[in-house]
Amino acid sequence: MQLLHTTDAPAPGGHYSQAVRTGDYIHTAGQVGLNAATGVTPSDFREQTRQALANLRAVLAEGGAEITDVVRTMCLLTDIDNFAIFNEEYAAFFGDHRPARSTFGIALAGGFTVEVEAIAYVGGR
């Protein structure tokens, strides 16, 4: 098991890793909308979603994965009424690639409004 860490995404806020690579798979922790460079979380839901997805990209890249390697995501929203906005940004981010996905409305720690985690398969490399 290889623990992955990049300074291009926020450091873990607890006792966990940004991601773990096990064989041909990368399992990411949930990525939120905090900008690692500035320490700022946008107040706008759309911007927070974009930042969370950018953080996800950075963590995957640290393990040698690309967005097209993602096979599954789990998406958490504090307000499920924001689903349409989230879905627009998610679709723009993944383009034609369509990993399996679950989306839930829940409470998130730290005042974040969105969190995205992923599993990527990098076996063909």
Side-chain angles (χ1 to χ4, degrees), residues 2-14 16-21 26-29 31 36 55 57-64:
Q2 176 188 5
L3 304 180
L4 302 176
H5 177 78
T6 178
T7 56
D8 293 333
Y16 60 92
S17 298
Q18 287 173 323
V20 175
R21 183 168 179 163
I26 296 172
H27 299 260
T28 75
Q31 298 301 308
N55 292 340
R57 182 189 308 271
V59 170
L60 288 168
E62 185 65 22

Side-chain angles (χ1 to χ4, degrees), residues 73-96:
T73 61
M74 184 166 63
C75 308
L76 310 169
L77 313 177
T78 58
D79 184 349
I80 203 69
D81 289 340
N82 283 327
F83 180 78
I85 295 168
F86 174 79
N87 202 47
E88 286 175 20
E89 295 302 323
Y90 183 95
F93 181 75
F94 279 103
D96 291 334

